[in-house]
Amino acid sequence: MRNLGRSVVVVCCALPLVSALWLHAVEAMTGNEYRTISALGKISYVNGVMEAWLLANRFMGRDGEPDVRWEATFGRIVRCADKKMTIGQVSAITEKYIDAHPAEGYYDVAALVWSAMLEVCPVSFPDTEDPRGPKGK
């Protein structure tokens, strides 16, 4: 029983340290840091950003109606990329944007992905279903 007590104390003392290290490990990456990782790492990071937006897109809004704020910021990017691009293309677009805007290298990569995608995704999507249905109906 005494060993169990020690184990509990050790776990309780170590948990905050492990949590602090884990939280530090998942900090957002900047564009400057992004430039230093491997090609696979870049694709994986961009994939994580896009997957998060894709999942959030499915849960935003109420009663089947999209959230207006979400739609204005991320919705069109998610629809554009999800229907028309591979993750390799999104990663290449992001890398090209980061290379063309070195002054923005201190921004989070997610913000840079967003900026890059805004440049290539059109405002309207004739080949993509609008979740609100046909206009005027």
Side-chain angles (χ1 to χ4, degrees), residues 30-49:
T30 67
N32 291 330
E33 294 167 332
Y34 179 84
R35 290 178 185 177
T36 66
I37 63 175
S38 69
L40 180 59
K42 290 175 182 178
I43 290 172
S44 298
Y45 198 92
V46 170
N47 186 50
V49 170

Side-chain angles (χ1 to χ4, degrees), residues 55-124:
L55 288 173
N57 188 48
R58 292 189 177 141
F59 295 104
M60 297 301 286
R62 295 178 185 205
D63 302 322
E65 291 294 320
D67 182 80
V68 175
R69 293 167 297 194
W70 173 263
E71 194 59 32
T73 54
F74 298 104
R76 72 184 183 121
I77 291 172
V78 169
R79 284 194 317 275
C80 174
D82 190 39
K83 301 290 184 189
K84 300 178 181 180
M85 297 180 195
T86 67
I87 196 60
Q89 290 170 317
V90 175
S91 183
I93 290 165
T94 300
E95 191 159 1
K96 183 177 176 182
Y97 181 88
I98 290 172
D99 289 343
H101 300 87
E104 296 178 13
Y106 64 93
Y107 291 143
D108 291 346
V109 175
L112 296 171
V113 172
W114 183 72
S115 296
M117 294 304 291
L118 282 178
E119 287 188 354
V120 299
C121 288
V123 174
S124 61

